[in-house]
Amino acid sequence: MSSDRARSRSRRLAAALAGALLLGADGTCQLLPGEMVHVPAGDFTMGSTVGDPDEAPVHTVHLDGYWIDRTEVTVDAYAACVDAGVCKQSNSSTSCNWNHADRGDNPVNCVTWKQAHDYCAWLGERLPTEAEWEKAARGTEAR
């Protein structure tokens, strides 16, 4: 198998395992069916009056529709990026899932924004914006 083909296969496998909060760079669903959910275009209420001061003021934001992964990136999916030499290992303190053999299907945690960004770039994806993340997290019931 050519190295480009193996790399492509590895990326598809990592994407299938990832379940990351990633968006298709061109707005299309690039992961296996069922891995991503579509968040429809529209207005939503962003911010909070009861959270940290940087969450205020409450305001209305309009977003175009987008795709976002249903679940978090797993340790095993992130490890594929590390094994490829693209990503740096996650922190391995006791509260982190990295370097625990029984946590491969758990969400990878204890990564920096840059590590998350590098992982997304490796898959040809990007991290969601703050507004995209908040709209997806609030769900259709505007929690």
Side-chain angles (χ1 to χ4, degrees):
M1 183 180 299
S2 75
S3 64
D4 286 343
R5 188 170 168 203
R7 186 171 27 259
S8 175
R9 183 174 180 212
S10 175
R11 285 182 181 168
R12 285 193 314 272
L13 175 61
L17 295 173
L21 289 169
L22 305 175
L23 302 172
D26 61 358
T28 62
C29 180
Q30 298 179 359
L31 298 181
L32 295 177
E35 293 296 320
M36 295 182 95
V37 295
H38 186 259
V39 179
D43 294 342
F44 80 103
T45 301
M46 183 171 176
S48 174
T49 58
V50 296
D52 293 330
D54 67 345
E55 295 176 15
V58 173
H59 56 288
T60 300
V61 174
H62 178 85
L63 292 175
D64 292 335
Y66 59 97
W67 291 91
I68 191 163
D69 279 15
R70 186 178 306 274
T71 61
E72 298 89 350
V73 175
T74 64
V75 171
D76 286 345
Y78 188 80
C81 185
V82 172
D83 291 346
V86 176
C87 296
K88 296 188 187 306
Q89 289 188 10
S90 170
N91 186 321
S92 58
S93 70
T94 55
S95 64
C96 301
N97 290 327
W98 191 257
N99 279 340
H100 295 275
D102 61 336
R103 297 185 187 174
D105 62 348
N106 288 15
V108 69
N109 59 350
C110 305
V111 295
T112 65
W113 182 91
K114 180 167 179 5
Q115 288 171 302
H117 176 269
D118 291 348
Y119 177 81
C120 293
W122 179 64
L123 293 175
E125 309 291 343
R126 67 174 176 85
L127 289 166
T129 66
E130 181 180 2
E132 288 167 338
W133 171 254
E134 186 165 336
K135 182 176 182 182
R138 287 179 180 270
T140 57
E141 297 155 12
R143 300 183 289 260

